[in-house]
Structure formats: structure tokens, C-alpha cells
Amino acid sequence: MRSVSLLSPAKLNLFLKVLNKRPDGFHNITTVFERIDLCDVIRLKLNTTGAIRIHCAHPHVPCGPRNLVYRAARMLREDFKVKDGVDIYLKKNIPVAAGLGGGSSNAATALKGLNRLWKLDLSLSRLLPYARRLGSDVSFFMYDCRWALGTGRGDSIKKLAISTKLWHVLVVPCLKLYSGEVYGGLGLREGRMKMLTKRSDNATIFIRRLRQADIAQIGYGLTNDLEDVVLRLSPGVGKLQQRLKSLNTQGVMVSGSGPCVFAIVGTWRQAEAVRAVLARRFRRTFVARTL
Ligand code: ATP
């Protein structure tokens, strides 16, 4: 095999509770991940020069060692003394730095793809430590699942055998929000447990609703402890949420550390209608479904 093309999907966090700050500076969270069909495309092509080269036209994606995909390739090449190099072509469809986990997904896809291309034959449990070193969200994308519960930094993953599929409208305002700044805005001190969410803050209840596929109940249970901070830092996001709520949607929430805002809707037709309204004001609007 000289080359491989892979889809690299985005995620939404339908439930995200921040528990406390850890000594390593990260936060312990409980989150429910959903894999969605908004995907980047990654092509990995073997080269014999030994070089790792990233080719990506997106202006905000670094092509050197700051790219998570580059770092994934370098770690595997060094640890397993791989002689071959790789040319990596990234087609970005997932908005960058939006709370949709695009970079993390790319890193996980690269780990899985290079495992095949470089014939390393590593099991999932041997690849997971690399995923963890690359970032908190990378682990979720290592698993082949629609829904998962994430704990720890969000990197301890339990697959959820749930067949429910949801339709969404996604809107990504043109704002820069840094995850560190958003988590910092919670003002949590090390080790302290603080209850931030007011309503239905139990992941077990949320997962039960998900399993029952009652979209009104799922919409009601959407939770994100980071949302208040995002709204404080970017009040425009609040206005966007109000607009989405007024369009007969079943629940509206910020994904992860934002600024992407998503809504749950009943059908593809409804999703397209809501997207068309929002597209008049926002450049980056998408219809997506659970993958
Ligand atoms: P998360 O939800 O995991 O916090 P995100 O969707 O908010 O992720 P990304 O799209 O992963 O954010 O991008 C975050 C930063 O990572 C960007 O500023 C970008 O420069 C850098 N980056 C590194 N590698 C990649 C990549 N392969 N794709 C996109 N961004 C990347």
C-alpha cells in the first residue's frame, strides 16, 4: 500500500460538565461526544526520502511541527524507527478552532492511517498513549463509535452502544476563542469540586434520553459548563443562540469551548430551512448528522 485516503470527522459535545482543575493544569470533565458527518479528508502518501511533509491550503493550519498530524507522524516515526517518510494532504472542511475537534480528529486519523501505511500493526491500546499525548480530544476519535462518554481530561473513553442519529444545524461565528482562556474563565482552583450546571447535570440521565431518541428531551438536557464563559467573552454568541432558538429548534448549545453553536432539529428538511435563514448573516453554516 503506497497511499491511503481517510475521512476525519468532527465532534459535538452534547453534555459537558467541568468537575475540577487538576495539578497538571487541565480540568477533569464528564462529556458525551457525538461523531458527526462534517469531515476533513486526509491522504497519506508514502515517500522514500524519510521526510514528513504536510500540504494544506487552509491559512490557519500550520504545515510544520505545530500541526498535530505532523506531531503524530513524528512520534511514530521516531519510536518505531520508520525509514520511510510521508506526504500528508489535508483538505479542511471542519472550521478551525471552532470547538469541533478538527485538529484532534486529524491527529487520530493520521495515527490510524500511518499504522497501516508504515505497517506498524499496533493495537488500539498501543496507539492510545500517543493519542493522549497529542491532546485531550484525540482519544475519542481513535474509537470507531458514534457516541462516547469521556472522563478524566475527556481522554478516558467509554463507547456508548446507542443507535440514535440526530440532525443538526451548526453555525460558526468568525471569532477567536482559545480553549485555555475559556477553561480559565471558570475560575476553578486546583482540586476544588464545584457544581456549575444548574439543571439535569447528570450524564446518566442524559445518556438515557439519548437512548430513547426523544429529541425534545435530548434538547432540554443539553449541557455545557463552558457556555457561560463563552457568552461572557463573546456576547454575540448569545444573540446567535437566541436566533437559533426562535427558529423552532429542539435545543441549542455551544460545542466544547466554542465558538461553534449547534441546534438539534427533527429532519434534514427542517435543518436546511434553518441553515438557509442563518446563512444570510453567517458565512459558516452547516447541516450535519450523527455519523
Ligand atoms: P477542540 O474542540 O479539540 O478544542 P478545536 O476544534 O477548537 O479543537 P482545532 O480545529 O483542532 O480546534 O484547532 C485548534 C488549533 O490547532 C488551531 O489554532 C490550529 O492552528 C492548530 N492545529 C494544529 N494542527 C491542526 C490541524 N490538523 N487542523 C486544524 N488545526 C490544527
Side-chain angles (χ1 to χ4, degrees):
M1 187 174 58
R2 310 252 351 136
S3 77
V4 57
S5 275
L6 299 160
L7 290 179
S8 177
K11 59 86 183 163
L12 295 174
N13 301 90
L14 268 60
F15 182 96
L16 195 161
K17 271 202 66 64
V18 182
L19 304 177
N20 62 348
K21 191 170 176 187
R22 304 153 38 122
D24 63 6
F26 290 99
H27 290 75
N28 282 313
I29 64 171
T30 300
T31 188
V32 174
F33 288 108
E34 176 189 10
R35 186 176 64 181
I36 57 169
D37 64 358
L38 174 61
C39 296
D40 290 340
V41 184
I42 300 188
R43 191 158 82 91
L44 304 172
K45 192 163 167 274
L46 210 60
N47 75 50
T48 47
T49 67
I52 297 167
R53 289 185 295 244
I54 308 273
H55 310 265
C56 182
H58 195 292
H60 298 126
V61 175
C63 285
R66 280 183 41 240
N67 195 304
L68 286 174
V69 169
Y70 183 99
R71 288 173 46 207
R74 191 176 55 190
M75 285 196 298
L76 290 182
R77 194 185 57 178
E78 283 175 8
D79 281 8
F80 297 95
K81 317 237 174 320
V82 178
K83 294 276 181 300
D84 284 326
V86 63
D87 280 278
I88 304 174
Y89 301 85
L90 280 182
K91 181 166 183 333
K92 295 296 294 183
N93 299 314
I94 306 171
V96 173
L100 294 167
S104 305
S105 171
N106 293 173
T109 305
L111 286 175
K112 290 189 277 189
L114 289 169
N115 190 33
R116 282 164 58 192
L117 195 75
W118 284 340
K119 300 190 170 63
L120 301 175
D121 209 19
L122 302 169
S123 63
L124 175 63
S125 60
R126 289 200 64 198
L127 284 172
L128 278 176
Y130 292 95
R132 286 208 166 102
R133 272 162 60 196
L134 287 161
S136 305
D137 284 342
V138 183
S139 300
F140 165 64
F141 293 108
M142 295 300 294
Y143 291 82
D144 189 17
C145 62
R146 267 179 202 161
W147 299 99
L149 178 71
T151 52
R153 284 161 52 192
D155 58 349
S156 290
I157 300 296
K158 182 172 167 243
K159 284 167 84 163
L160 298 170
I162 297 175
S163 56
T164 307
K165 281 185 151 199
L166 301 175
W167 282 107
H168 298 288
V169 179
L170 274 53
V171 183
V172 183
C174 288
L175 291 168
K176 265 214 154 77
L177 281 177
Y178 296 96
S179 304
E181 190 189 1
V182 175
Y183 273 96
L186 289 171
L188 292 183
R189 269 183 276 134
E190 224 174 84
R192 282 249 321 263
M193 292 290 209
K194 190 169 159 187
M195 283 303 149
L196 294 159
T197 314
K198 282 147 227 105
R199 55 158 212 207
S200 61
D201 52 3
N202 187 324
T204 316
I205 297 172
F206 185 76
I207 290 166
R208 194 182 311 136
R209 289 175 174 173
L210 212 47
R211 200 162 266 130
Q212 288 162 350
D214 177 338
I215 63 166
Q217 283 298 312
I218 296 168
Y220 180 74
L222 293 175
T223 298
N224 185 350
D225 276 349
L226 298 173
E227 186 170 83
D228 284 350
V229 184
V230 171
L231 299 186
R232 212 162 60 225
L233 293 172
S234 310
V237 173
K239 290 199 190 115
L240 164 60
Q241 283 192 315
Q242 288 313 320
R243 187 76 184 103
L244 269 168
K245 280 179 187 161
S246 73
L247 293 170
N248 210 9
T249 50
Q250 301 280 349
V252 174
M253 188 56 59
V254 167
S255 181
S257 50
C260 174
V261 175
F262 67 92
I264 297 178
V265 287
T267 62
W268 171 80
R269 196 181 285 273
Q270 261 178 310
E272 278 297 347
V274 172
R275 193 193 67 77
V277 173
L278 271 299
R280 290 187 212 132
R281 264 224 58 209
F282 296 91
R283 196 169 49 84
R284 297 184 295 175
T285 58
F286 306 87
V287 167
R289 198 179 194 205
T290 319
L291 182 64

